[in-house]
Amino acid sequence: MICIGHRGASAYEPENTIRAFKRAIDMGCQGVEMDLRRTKDGKIVVIHDETVDRTTNGKGKVSEMTLEEIKKLDSHGEKIPLLSEVLSEVKAEIFLLELKESGYEESIVKEVKDFNLLDKVVFVSFNYDSLKKVKEVGGEKIGLIYETQPYPIQVAKSLKAYAMLPSYNLLNRIHANELKKNKFFVIPWVVNDVSILEKMMYFKVDGVITDKPDIMKQLKYLRKGNETLTI
Ligand code: G3P
Ligand code: CA
């Protein structure tokens, strides 16, 4: 079962920064998840919210600021990174790129292609039209994020999705089996608690998205003797 650092190791480092992504890899994650938005001058940057207010010392909408303005901001000692900076500096086996907006799919796929990382990237979103567009412009692997029912299995099948990303509390044995039967790569979010991690293992998910990569190691200590699980 693989570990994906949610916004990096965001429980320990400023979210969606190079420091957080590198920390997740250092803590044993195979992959990192990040959120993508577009600046006023069309640059792809890594930030979760529509505005910079919560995570930096600035104020305003990302879409109304130039890259130069964005780069002046401080995010707990770090800068908001460009997607290209993350792709060049972070050595991950899997990058989950979450599209928080639409209309920039082609630019994102192009950047990934420029780094020759198409095989390591899964483009993910709550916006399935955006994922459809990603496929049309050459993105290979897509993943549907969801947190409510009905489960979007039919949409995922019609889009030939690679991954399914349910909120962990939507998973039960029946749904997990259905996902596996359809050969999706299943990665629930955001698993920050060891008891939930154990439950996810029981459902045989392929990986978890977590703010706390160290829970993967804690898991071993919960089991006794020959009950120890290999991760
Ligand atoms: O990967 C899924 C998860 O990141 C979606 O929620 O709000 O953290 O982007 P959010
Ligand atoms: Ca996200």
Side-chain angles (χ1 to χ4, degrees):
M1 189 165 76
I2 64 161
C3 167
I4 307 275
H6 182 242
R7 311 180 195 175
S10 58
Y12 308 112
E13 303 289 356
E15 69 177 53
N16 279 322
T17 62
I18 300 265
R19 200 166 96 207
F21 299 130
K22 287 188 171 170
R23 181 83 185 271
I25 301 300
D26 288 348
M27 292 178 84
C29 281
Q30 290 78 12
V32 289
E33 184 269 356
M34 69 202 72
D35 305 291
L36 305 180
R37 293 191 176 273
R38 189 168 47 174
T39 64
K40 188 177 170 184
D41 48 347
K43 309 294 184 209
I44 312 297
V45 289
V46 182
I47 181 168
H48 182 273
D49 298 359
E50 192 180 358
T51 74
V52 300
D53 303 10
R54 178 179 61 86
T55 53
T56 77
N57 59 344
K59 276 203 179 309
K61 285 189 173 179
V62 176
S63 61
E64 292 173 0
M65 302 173 86
T66 62
L67 180 65
E68 194 183 349
E69 288 166 327
I70 290 274
K71 282 293 186 184
K72 286 187 182 141
L73 303 174
D74 175 75
S75 180
H76 305 277
E78 294 295 304
K79 299 283 178 207
I80 294 174
L82 283 159
L83 169 61
S84 58
E85 290 170 329
V86 178
L87 295 179
S88 78
E89 291 182 41
V90 178
K91 304 300 168 210
E93 289 169 48
I94 301 176
F95 295 90
L96 294 189
L97 306 187
E98 181 177 349
L99 284 77
K100 287 289 189 197
E101 300 174 6
S102 55
Y104 62 173
E105 295 85 354
E106 201 163 357
S107 313
I108 292 172
V109 172
K110 184 180 178 314
E111 287 201 21
V112 171
K113 280 185 175 170
D114 288 347
F115 281 92
N116 204 17
L117 285 172
L118 217 45
D119 58 332
K120 292 189 173 180
V121 166
V122 186
F123 302 91
V124 302
S125 189
F126 284 103
N127 181 339
Y128 309 151
D129 289 336
S130 205
L131 294 177
K132 184 165 181 266
K133 178 76 184 167
V134 164
K135 279 249 170 172
E136 285 166 4
V137 297
E140 289 173 358
K141 295 177 184 161
I142 59 167
L144 279 66
I145 310 176
Y146 54 105
E147 58 186 341
T148 52
Q149 295 202 41
Y151 306 126
I153 292 210
Q154 287 315 317
V155 185
K157 281 163 87 168
S158 72
L159 291 177
K160 296 191 169 37
Y162 168 78
M164 289 293 261
L165 288 75
S167 168
Y168 74 80
N169 50 27
L170 275 190
L171 262 192
N172 53 42
R173 182 180 274 282
I174 294 170
H175 184 46
N177 287 343
E178 190 182 22
L179 292 173
K180 293 315 294 176
K181 194 182 80 192
N182 284 288
K183 301 197 167 21
F184 292 117
F185 192 77
V186 182
I187 28 179
W189 51 281
V190 174
V191 178
N192 285 341
D193 186 287
V194 185
S195 62
I196 297 166
L197 179 60
E198 286 226 309
K199 197 167 154 189
M200 296 300 113
M201 289 193 79
Y202 179 70
F203 294 148
K204 296 191 165 49
V205 302
D206 297 286
V208 292
I209 300 172
T210 179
D211 298 330
K212 299 180 170 181
D214 47 332
I215 58 164
M216 305 299 282
K217 294 199 174 73
Q218 288 170 29
L219 189 63
K220 290 183 207 163
Y221 302 107
L222 285 185
R223 299 262 171 165
K224 303 266 184 274
N226 60 10
E227 268 193 327
T228 303
L229 295 167
T230 309
I231 55 172

